[in-house]
Amino acid sequence: MIDWRSLPPLTALRALAALSETGSTVAAGARLSVSHAAISQQVKALEEHLGLALVSRGGKALELTEEGRQLAQAVLTGVAGIEEVVRQLRGEEASRPVLVTCTPTLASYFLMPRLAEYQQAHPEVSLMIDPTPQLRDLGPGGADIALRYGNGTWPGLEAHLLVRSPVSVLASPELIPWEINPTPAELADYPWFQELGTNEASDFLEWQGARLNPTRGVTSLPGNLMIEALRSGRGVGPMARAFAEPDLEAGRLRLLHEDTRKKGYYLVTRRDGLRPAARDFARWVRRQARQSWGEAE
């Protein structure tokens, strides 16, 4: 029998679990619709209740101690079980669509050409594809699966590398002929394209010690339109090399520089597991990635 009176306050446990999932008090507060100060107070009260340090406060960012991680994982596992039972009781589990959030570029060049095959094999599964450069929440009320570009580190989440792909700075040979090899500083004087919702153009140039020329302008557009924009010869732009390979091989685009700070595209899920339909879709995505690009390392 559970001794309910000996347990810490559930609001404090919830605050610790949200901090574990999000990695910051600000994000945890937004997840729970409270202030970041309330998250800090709840976690501190939990530490006092247990007589244990749950958060290390020495660095620039809060990090959970080993005890804090153990307790947060126990809370997340328990809540996930409750959530699963509630969904089954409501009869929502089988009918709720699998929600996948990903960049417009990946949706256009990787998912869309293959979805017909998946839907033919799994007509009973409904899908919702959310193409956006923004990071959507995973879990209750959010997405089941995220396909994200980065280094594979998202606090509280599980990440599986699908394909290694640096960010390539590209242009049409009509804009920059093959015999010309401009430095990043020289590229700053060209017009630029970048994916809507990102600052990839200015970020790359600043990394190389250069700045965009404000008189030349930057055009932000959905990622699935980047290839067409670059082919037009009206500007320079960064995009994941994995999706530009056919144009590079055909000579429609040329590689000017590469940014290797990020590793590639990842399949990202919560650590407490996926419901069956989402789990099957995640396996299918990983299989499609292996068939397209080989085993990721």
Side-chain angles (χ1 to χ4, degrees), residues 9 52 58 257 288 290:
L52 294 170
H257 295 278
Q288 292 297 314
R290 286 195 299 270

Side-chain angles (χ1 to χ4, degrees), residues 45 77 88 104 220:
T77 300
Q88 290 176 358
S220 295

Side-chain angles (χ1 to χ4, degrees), residues 95-132:
S95 61
R96 185 165 67 87
V98 175
L99 177 53
V100 182
T101 179
C102 61
T103 66
T105 304
L106 190 139
S108 179
Y109 296 112
F110 177 71
L111 281 183
M112 294 310 298
R114 297 168 172 81
L115 277 185
E117 174 191 326
Y118 177 83
Q119 291 167 329
Q120 185 175 8
H122 302 275
E124 76 287 358
V125 178
S126 296
L127 298 173
M128 290 181 64
I129 308 298
D130 176 27
T132 173

Side-chain angles (χ1 to χ4, degrees), residues 15 46-47 53 79 110 113 124 134 218 226 232-233 235 257 262 294:
L46 185 58
E47 290 178 315
V79 170
F110 177 71
E124 76 287 358
Q134 306 301 322
V218 177
M226 280 290 292
S232 73
H257 295 278
K262 293 184 179 179

Side-chain angles (χ1 to χ4, degrees), residues 180-190 192 205 210:
I180 298 176
N181 296 296
T183 65
E186 291 169 334
L187 284 177
D189 289 326
Y190 283 82
W192 279 72
L205 289 173

Side-chain angles (χ1 to χ4, degrees), residues 45-67:
L46 185 58
E47 290 178 315
E48 292 173 355
H49 180 94
L50 297 173
L52 294 170
L54 302 176
V55 175
S56 174
R57 297 175 175 85
K60 294 182 179 179
L62 291 177
E63 291 185 2
L64 269 62
T65 63
E66 180 58 29
E67 292 83 358

Side-chain angles (χ1 to χ4, degrees), residues 168 170 227 240-252 258 293:
S168 296
L170 309 167
I227 285 285
R241 178 165 180 162
F243 303 116
E245 287 292 357
D247 285 81
L248 289 170
E249 293 175 3
R252 293 185 291 267
E258 281 196 329
W293 298 304

